[in-house]
Amino acid sequence: MSKTLDKIAEELRDANKKIQLLYAFNGTGKTRLSREFRLLIDPKDTGEDEDEQEPSGIKIMYYNAFTEDLFYWDNDLDADTNRKLIIRPNGFTNLALPFLKDQGLDNNIATNFQRYTSDKITPIFNEDFSEVSFSFTAGGDSNENNIKISKGEESNFIWCVFFSLLEEIIQILNEADLSNRSTDIFEHLEYIFIDDPVSSLDDNHLIELAVIISKLVKRSESNLKFIISTHNPLFYNVISNELNTNILNPNFISKQETPDIEKWIYHVDKHSLRYIFNKYEDGRYDLNVLGRKTPFSYHLQLLREIQTIKNTPNLLKKYHLNFLRNILEKTATFLGRSRWEHLLPKVNGEPDPHLNRLLNLSSHSAHAGEEIGELQENDRGKLIELVKYLESNYKFSELIQQNEAV
């Protein structure tokens, strides 16, 4: 049953899991969900401007598009020499920046940043951490100062500020004795919500990032809970697989379940959930729980949607042909085929000309209205024929059944 966004936020809260992973297509509303969740957990701030938020007693921290908007460029348009990245003061930065400065975390931020970019680019904070400039080592002792970094590098840097802060927070909260903690400003922190960190990364660095985030989550021994959302299937699968290993955390299991606290006691089914986050045409949403027997794949999700309506052909629309084209493209790439048409059923030794023409025409529609148009009866029959062919020849049906909700 579809729900409003605030109800989805309540569902995430009420799940009470250590880790929740969400996959959603671009434009579904992940950023809005992270905002709605923050307002649910910490309702004292109800506006876009967080200046009135208290600098202590914080219950939730999130990384999303709002976080990136806190950083903006002063390009020194008059002299074009003193370019710097300005950090806008608000509730989060008023808390984070003094802490980063006091802990001397500028070197950690620089190291994390250079991991994803280049060791030749160095971020340099000013005295109060409200501004950042960047220098480039050209070779030898030659440096170019106050350079303007790319948008992708900027996104990397902002994430590294957040991540370096998160590393320190987890270490602080892992100290069970409150009197031994270096600060009490994170004492009430309950949730970390991470939405699509550094989407500009290439696949190799994206995998590395997923592994690093997973290791950080595993090091958390407190009651801190994590919600991670993404539109990238690779990131989703890697972080899901990494988190499916055991985590030693006595706070998330009762002593009755295991008297030996040294035992690996993180139970995937009990303490984590994986979802697909969907948005419907009426503006409502739902969370579909995924199983864990196979990785999540975008093309399997599309095929499953088609399977659910193949016995009611009148519900098939032209956009389902685009779904099938997408499925065939990804499957052909995986199998090393040069063209997706090679996966179609054969007629006289050649790809079925009816299906070939139908799928090609559907992907070159000139009018958006045609995407929801009706299919002719014989075209609906051919589409269902193709779905059955794919199920039979490539065993998609078995994979989808294994990936159903648990």
Side-chain angles (χ1 to χ4, degrees):
M1 181 180 297
S2 62
K3 308 175 181 71
T4 57
L5 202 59
D6 59 326
K7 294 299 182 183
I8 296 293
E10 290 176 6
E11 189 172 338
L12 292 173
R13 179 199 60 189
D14 295 343
N16 194 32
K17 300 294 183 181
K18 176 70 174 177
I19 305 161
Q20 297 183 81
L21 302 178
L22 286 76
Y23 178 87
F25 301 150
N26 268 333
T28 301
K30 294 184 280 74
T31 300
R32 295 191 297 278
L33 176 60
S34 65
R35 177 69 175 175
E36 194 70 40
F37 189 81
R38 204 293 299 273
L39 293 176
L40 174 67
I41 300 301
D42 196 5
K44 61 190 176 186
D45 171 32
T46 58
E48 294 299 325
D49 189 347
E50 301 173 4
D51 291 340
E52 300 303 320
Q53 183 172 332
E54 295 294 330
S56 61
I58 185 171
K59 295 181 180 179
I60 179 170
M61 288 176 51
Y62 59 76
Y63 176 88
N64 59 16
F66 286 107
T67 312
E68 296 204 7
D69 287 345
L70 295 175
F71 296 72
Y72 65 95
W73 279 96
D74 176 355
N75 290 315
D76 189 17
L77 297 179
D78 294 330
D80 195 27
T81 56
N82 189 25
R83 307 173 197 89
K84 53 194 175 185
L85 193 61
I86 310 296
I87 305 177
R88 175 181 178 268
N90 85 327
F92 170 71
T93 56
N94 290 342
L95 173 76
L97 297 182
F99 177 78
L100 292 169
K101 176 187 175 183
D102 291 344
Q103 299 298 315
L105 294 181
D106 49 333
N107 288 333
N108 294 44
I109 295 170
T111 299
N112 287 325
F113 172 67
Q114 290 172 342
R115 175 188 290 122
Y116 301 113
T117 54
S118 168
D119 59 5
K120 296 182 182 298
I121 304 176
T122 303
I124 303 169
F125 287 86
N126 69 342
E127 186 175 351
D128 64 359
F129 273 50
S130 63
E131 300 176 1
V132 189
S133 60
F134 295 85
S135 68
F136 178 76
T137 304
D141 295 329
S142 175
N143 287 340
E144 184 180 351
N145 297 320
N146 302 113
I147 67 168
K148 175 74 177 284
I149 60 176
S150 72
K151 193 66 177 176
E153 290 165 340
E154 179 186 336
S155 179
N156 272 297
F157 173 76
I158 297 168
W159 162 253
C160 290
V161 171
F162 181 88
F163 181 78
S164 299
L165 175 64
L166 183 56
E167 282 185 307
E168 195 69 16
I169 289 172
I170 286 176
Q171 183 175 335
I172 290 170
L173 295 182
N174 280 351
E175 174 55 64
D177 188 344
L178 300 184
S179 63
N180 288 335
R181 291 179 179 176
S182 59
T183 178
D184 62 357
I185 61 176
F186 304 111
E187 186 174 323
H188 301 287
L189 187 61
E190 300 175 20
Y191 287 94
I192 302 293
F193 199 126
I194 300 173
D195 174 36
D196 264 337
V198 198
S199 57
S200 61
L201 291 175
D202 59 45
D203 285 354
N204 289 334
H205 283 111
L206 198 66
I207 291 171
E208 181 182 8
L209 175 63
V211 172
I212 288 173
I213 291 176
S214 301
K215 288 181 178 179
L216 185 63
V217 171
K218 290 179 181 183
R219 289 205 299 269
S220 174
E221 299 174 6
S222 67
N223 290 324
L224 194 61
K225 302 179 184 70
F226 298 83
I227 299 173
I228 303 172
S229 60
T230 183
H231 75 282
N232 188 295
L234 175 61
F235 179 82
Y236 186 96
N237 282 330
V238 173
I239 202 167
S240 176
N241 292 337
E242 290 294 315
L243 290 174
N244 273 350
T245 59
N246 292 328
I247 300 176
L248 182 60
N249 189 346
N251 293 304
F252 279 83
I253 195 167
S254 68
K255 292 182 179 179
Q256 287 73 25
E257 291 179 270
T258 171
D260 181 8
I261 64 170
E262 297 301 317
K263 182 180 178 181
W264 290 102
I265 55 176
Y266 174 79
H267 290 190
V268 172
D269 291 337
K270 293 182 180 179
H271 305 311
S272 70
L273 278 173
R274 303 194 319 166
Y275 308 94
I276 295 179
F277 176 43
N278 294 313
K279 180 180 180 181
Y280 296 103
E281 291 183 2
D282 63 358
R284 294 167 69 87
Y285 306 82
D286 72 12
L287 286 174
N288 292 327
V289 179
L290 286 175
R292 299 177 180 84
K293 294 184 179 179
T294 62
F296 167 76
S297 293
Y298 175 57
H299 65 288
L300 291 183
Q301 177 65 16
L302 296 181
L303 186 57
R304 190 168 90 179
E305 179 169 337
I306 295 175
Q307 284 182 314
T308 60
I309 60 174
K310 72 180 181 182
N311 295 324
T312 52
N314 60 306
L315 296 180
L316 294 172
K317 305 293 183 181
K318 284 187 177 181
Y319 67 83
H320 288 113
L321 295 173
N322 283 331
F323 282 8
L324 278 171
R325 171 69 181 267
N326 195 314
I327 293 165
L328 290 165
E329 292 274 10
K330 287 179 168 57
T331 305
T333 299
F334 176 77
L335 295 175
R337 303 291 181 88
S338 59
R339 297 184 61 84
W340 62 266
E341 291 92 339
H342 296 164
L343 303 182
L344 294 175
K346 301 295 189 295
V347 176
N348 298 323
E350 298 293 331
D352 187 317
H354 187 164
L355 283 171
N356 197 351
R357 177 184 59 82
L358 196 60
L359 293 171
N360 271 310
L361 287 175
S362 71
S363 61
H364 292 89
S365 173
H367 301 286
E370 295 181 17
E371 296 301 316
I372 57 173
E374 299 291 337
L375 286 167
Q376 296 181 7
E377 184 176 352
N378 62 331
D379 290 340
R380 290 198 296 264
K382 292 298 290 187
L383 188 152
I384 293 173
E385 176 187 316
L386 177 57
V387 172
K388 292 179 178 178
Y389 177 83
L390 293 174
E391 291 174 347
S392 173
N393 284 268
Y394 301 104
K395 307 300 181 184
F396 280 117
S397 184
E398 294 178 10
L399 289 174
I400 293 171
Q401 290 174 5
Q402 291 173 4
N403 207 40
E404 289 288 349
V406 293

